[in-house]
C-alpha cells in the first residue's frame, strides 16, 4: 500500500539524507553561515525546521542562538529539541526585527503562498539581516501548484523576483543541482518513489543569500 505521508515524514528520506531531510545535508547550511559571516550570539530562525538538525548545527558550529518553526507536530515530537515551536512559515510567532538571520532550506516551494512567507521573513529580520534560501527550481512556472516540492517548484527567476519584491537585496546565488540529483538517485535506490524529482524534468537546486534592505553599506 502506498505511503500517504509527505516525503519528509517517511523513513526513506531520513535513511538517505539523515536528520537534515534535504539535498546536501549540512553542506549548504555551513556555506550559508560562512557566507554571511555568522557570529556567536546571533539570533537565527530556521523556518520549516523539521527535526531541528540545522538548529543543532548552528548552535554547535557557529555559536548561534538558534530557534525553529515547524508545522508538523510529528516532526517536533521526534526532534525533542529546545527552541522549536509549532507554527506556519507564513505567520511567524515572533516580533518585528527579532532575528539576525532566517534560514529556509528546501521548504519555500511547499508554501501555499511563498510571497506571504517572504514578507514574514523580512518582517522578523532586523535591518540588514540575512536570508539563507535553498530550494528546488524548475525550467518553467508550469508546476502543479500542489503535491510534492518537485510539483510545486517554480523557475529561479520567479523566486528571485519574489525575494526582491519582499524587500531583499540578493548577494549570492549558487547552483547546487548536483546535490538534488544525488539525493533523487539515493531515494530510488532505497525504493522511495515520492520525491517527484525524476518525474518532472529539468529541476535544479540553488542556494541564495539575500539581505534585508534598510541598512547602510560600510
Amino acid at each position: 500500500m502506498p505511503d500517504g505521508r509527505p516525503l519528509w515524514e517517511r523513513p526513506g528520506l531520513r535513511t538517505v539524507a539523515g536528520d537534515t531531510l534535504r539535498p546536501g545535508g549540512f553542506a549548504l547550511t555551513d556555506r550559508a553561515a560562512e557566507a554571511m559571516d555568522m557570529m556567536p550570539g546571533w539570533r537565527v530562525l530556521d523556518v520549516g525546521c523539521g527535526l531541528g538538525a540545522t538548529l543543532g548545527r548552528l548552535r554547535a558550529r557557529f555559536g548561534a542562538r538558534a530557534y525553529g518553526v515547524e508545522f508538523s507536530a510529528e516532526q517536533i515530537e521526534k526532534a525533542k529539541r529546545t527552541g522549536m515551536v509549532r507554527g506556519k512559515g507564513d505567520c511567524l510567532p515572533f516580533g518585528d526585527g527579532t532575528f539576525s538571520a532566517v534560514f529556509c532550506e528546501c521548504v519555500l516551494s511547499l508554501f501555499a503562498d511563498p510571497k506571504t512567507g517572504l514578507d514574514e521573513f523580512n518582517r522578523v529580520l532586523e535591518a540588514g539581516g540575512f536570508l539563507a534560501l535553498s530550494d528546488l527550481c524548475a525550467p518553467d512556472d508550469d508546476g502543479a501548484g500542489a503535491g510534492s516540492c518537485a510539483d510545486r517548484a517554480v523557475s529561479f527567476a520567479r523566486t528571485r523576483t519574489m525575494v526582491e519584491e519582499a524587500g531583499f537585496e540578493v548577494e549570492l546565488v549558487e547552483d547546487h543541482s548536483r546535490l538534488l540529483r544525488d539525493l533523487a538517485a539515493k531515494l530510488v535506490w532505497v525504493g522511495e518513489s515520492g520525491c517527484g524529482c525524476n518525474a518532472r524534468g529539468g529541476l535544479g537546486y540553488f542556494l541564495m543569500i539575500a539581505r534585508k534592505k534598510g541598512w547602510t553599506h560600510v
Side-chain angles (χ1 to χ4, degrees), residues 97-112:
T98 301
F99 296 98
S100 302
V102 168
F103 280 62
C104 185
E105 300 172 296
C106 205
V107 174
L108 186 67
S109 56
L110 293 170
F111 279 34

Side-chain angles (χ1 to χ4, degrees), residues 58-101:
L58 295 178
R59 290 168 181 167
R61 187 170 178 126
F62 298 95
R65 298 163 62 193
Y67 303 84
V69 170
E70 171 57 46
F71 182 70
S72 168
E74 181 175 334
Q75 297 292 76
I76 293 174
E77 174 60 26
K78 287 180 181 177
K80 300 188 184 306
R81 288 183 184 271
T82 60
M84 289 179 63
V85 297
R86 190 176 186 204
K88 297 179 67 176
D90 56 6
C91 187
L92 297 172
F94 298 99
D96 298 357
T98 301
F99 296 98
S100 302

Side-chain angles (χ1 to χ4, degrees), residues 13 58 90 112 135 153 168 187 205:
L13 179 59
L58 295 178
D90 56 6
D135 214 336
F168 291 96
L187 287 169
Y205 200 75

Side-chain angles (χ1 to χ4, degrees), residues 12 15-17 179-192:
T15 297
V16 301
L179 299 176
L180 179 65
R181 293 193 293 271
D182 288 348
L183 179 64
K186 291 176 181 176
L187 287 169
V188 171
W189 182 256
V190 299
E192 180 56 69

Side-chain angles (χ1 to χ4, degrees), residues 16-165:
V16 301
D19 285 354
T20 64
L21 307 176
R22 59 179 178 268
F26 289 124
L28 300 189
T29 304
D30 291 349
R31 170 63 180 146
E34 290 164 358
M36 63 179 69
D37 197 19
M38 184 176 289
M39 302 296 290
W42 276 23
R43 293 173 63 92
V44 180
L45 178 66
D46 182 20
V47 178
C49 64
L51 297 171
T54 289
L55 277 64
R57 184 71 166 189
L58 295 178
R59 290 168 181 167
R61 187 170 178 126
F62 298 95
R65 298 163 62 193
Y67 303 84
V69 170
E70 171 57 46
F71 182 70
S72 168
E74 181 175 334
Q75 297 292 76
I76 293 174
E77 174 60 26
K78 287 180 181 177
K80 300 188 184 306
R81 288 183 184 271
T82 60
M84 289 179 63
V85 297
R86 190 176 186 204
K88 297 179 67 176
D90 56 6
C91 187
L92 297 172
F94 298 99
D96 298 357
T98 301
F99 296 98
S100 302
V102 168
F103 280 62
C104 185
E105 300 172 296
C106 205
V107 174
L108 186 67
S109 56
L110 293 170
F111 279 34
D113 184 355
K115 291 181 180 179
T116 301
L118 289 165
D119 287 343
E120 274 293 89
F121 300 170
N122 186 284
R123 181 185 65 79
V124 300
L125 279 169
E126 61 190 18
F130 290 92
L131 169 63
L133 180 65
S134 57
D135 214 336
L136 281 74
C137 56
D140 52 52
D141 296 327
D142 299 331
S148 72
C149 49
D151 296 327
R152 293 169 174 264
V154 299
S155 66
F156 174 78
R158 181 174 174 183
T159 299
R160 178 165 185 156
T161 296
M162 288 191 293
V163 169
E164 292 174 338
E165 288 179 347

